[in-house]
Structures are given as C-alpha cells and as structure tokens.
Amino acid sequence: MTAPLTPPTPPHDDSPHQVWQAPPPAGAPGMGLYEQDGPGMKKEVLEAVVIAIAVALGGVLFGLLWWWLAPHVPLVGDAVDKSWVVYIKDTEGEQAAGVDGTFTLLGLAFGLVSAIVVFALRRRGGVPLVVALGLGGLLGSLLAWRLGVWLGPTSDVIAHAKEVGKGVTFPAPLKLGAKGALLAWPLAASLVHLGLTALFGPRDPELYPQGPAPKDGYGAPLA
C-alpha cells in the first residue's frame, strides 16, 4: 500500500530579511497627504468669498483717487439763436486720454497692492483665491468707475453751461472712454499673485519620502 498523497508543506522562511510591516496609519508621512493638504474646499470657498468682498470694497478708495487725480476736459457753452451748444475748448488736448490713463494706472497699482496683501495673509494660494482676486478686482473697478462718475461734474452739460454763463470754461463729466481699463485691476492682481505663489509659496511635500540610505555589511553607508 502507498501512503496518501498530501500537499507539500510550504517552506517557512525565518530569515531576518523577511519583515512584515503593518500599513502605516492615515496621516503618517507618505500616506494620507491628501487629507492634510490645506483646508477643506468649503473653507477655501468661504475665504475666497471674504477676500472678494474685501477687495471689491477697495473700489471706494479707487474711485475717490480717480475723481481727484484725473484731468478735467474743458468745455465751453455758447448761445446760438436762443439755443445753447457745448463744445470742447481744447480740441487738441489729451485730457480725455489722461482720464483713461489715470484709471488704468490706478487699477494696476491696486492690483499689485491687493495681490501682495492677500499673499501675505494666505501664502498657500489656490484656484479659489485667484478667482476671488480677479472677481473682487473687477467688482472694485466697476464700483470705482460709477463712484467717480457720480462724484464728478454733472452729466447735464447744457444746464451746467447755462449755470456758469456764456463763454465760461467748465469741466466735462468724468467719463471712462476705454472700458478695457476695467480689467487692469483684476488682471494685475491675478498675475502678480500667481507669480508670488510660484516664487515664494510653500512647496508640496513629497508623496513618497525616501527611505534610509543603503548600508554595507558593516553598517557603513554606501557611497
């Protein structure tokens, strides 16, 4: 008779080179990095909303500065056949271009300052933050534009000409001819913040940190 066939016993390797390790817990170095990668999306969106509102409110100061610094376009009124006409006194003047240029330069300055302040307060950056800077800058530019027009001379130039008298120079209403100047603030803020984040922002940690340096049989590190 023959002995019953039994499966061979797998070899048992008790060598010290075979080490079984339990998986590292969540949050350990090299694992769970996505759980620690900055605040949650809800918190980022909330911060972005607050930043957008704060940046947009800067449009009040922007509008005041534009109203104060922008050059005035001189107008003159005249009565012809008992009807009033208004024309530009200096047809070759560059005051109208200066109004647009002042708005554009102020927009660039406000974009630079807002980007630096936001980066100093929150260095980590992120897409919601850049969107908040762009949206807040656009809203601030719109607010500054409307505020400057409201604070400036009246838009009823005929009534203004009658009030000051025939042949008397008076300033034209504050007007933004180049509407593209409204984008100076949001573009400058977004680009400057992206540049600051790329140059001075924190770096993401390595997903798989390097292990200890290999050693030879005597425990000395290999070259």
Side-chain angles (χ1 to χ4, degrees):
M1 296 181 62
T2 59
L5 298 175
T6 58
T9 304
H12 183 67
D13 187 4
D14 292 333
S15 63
H17 301 287
Q18 183 177 0
V19 181
W20 297 95
Q21 296 180 351
M31 296 295 293
L33 293 178
Y34 295 103
E35 298 178 3
Q36 297 182 352
D37 190 14
M41 181 55 68
K42 291 184 179 179
K43 185 177 180 181
E44 288 191 3
V45 171
L46 180 60
E47 290 178 350
V49 172
V50 174
I51 289 174
I53 295 175
V55 171
L57 291 178
V60 176
L61 179 59
F62 185 179
L64 292 174
L65 290 175
W66 183 48
W67 165 69
W68 181 43
L69 297 175
H72 298 290
V73 178
L75 300 179
V76 174
D78 193 7
V80 179
D81 296 333
K82 297 183 180 181
S83 62
W84 281 82
V85 294
V86 176
Y87 55 90
I88 298 177
K89 182 178 181 180
D90 185 8
T91 57
E92 297 182 358
E94 298 181 354
Q95 292 88 349
V99 174
D100 295 343
T102 302
F103 192 95
T104 302
L105 292 177
L106 286 174
L108 294 175
F110 271 76
L112 175 64
V113 172
S114 59
I116 293 176
V117 171
V118 170
F119 179 77
L121 295 177
R122 193 178 187 281
R123 301 174 63 89
R124 193 169 187 85
V127 175
L129 195 60
V130 177
V131 174
L133 271 173
L135 181 60
L138 180 59
L139 294 177
S141 296
L142 291 172
L143 176 60
W145 171 39
R146 301 313 304 170
L147 179 62
V149 172
W150 179 68
L151 291 175
T154 177
S155 58
D156 191 351
V157 293
I158 298 298
H160 199 174
K162 292 180 180 180
E163 180 181 354
V164 299
K166 179 181 178 180
V168 179
T169 303
F170 63 95
L174 199 58
K175 180 181 178 182
L176 185 63
K179 298 301 188 293
L182 295 170
L183 300 177
W185 184 352
L187 289 179
S190 301
L191 293 177
V192 171
H193 187 270
L194 287 174
L196 292 174
T197 304
L199 293 175
F200 307 108
R203 298 295 184 265
D204 293 332
E206 295 183 3
L207 184 58
Y208 298 102
Q210 297 180 355
K215 300 180 179 179
D216 58 13
Y218 298 97
L222 296 174

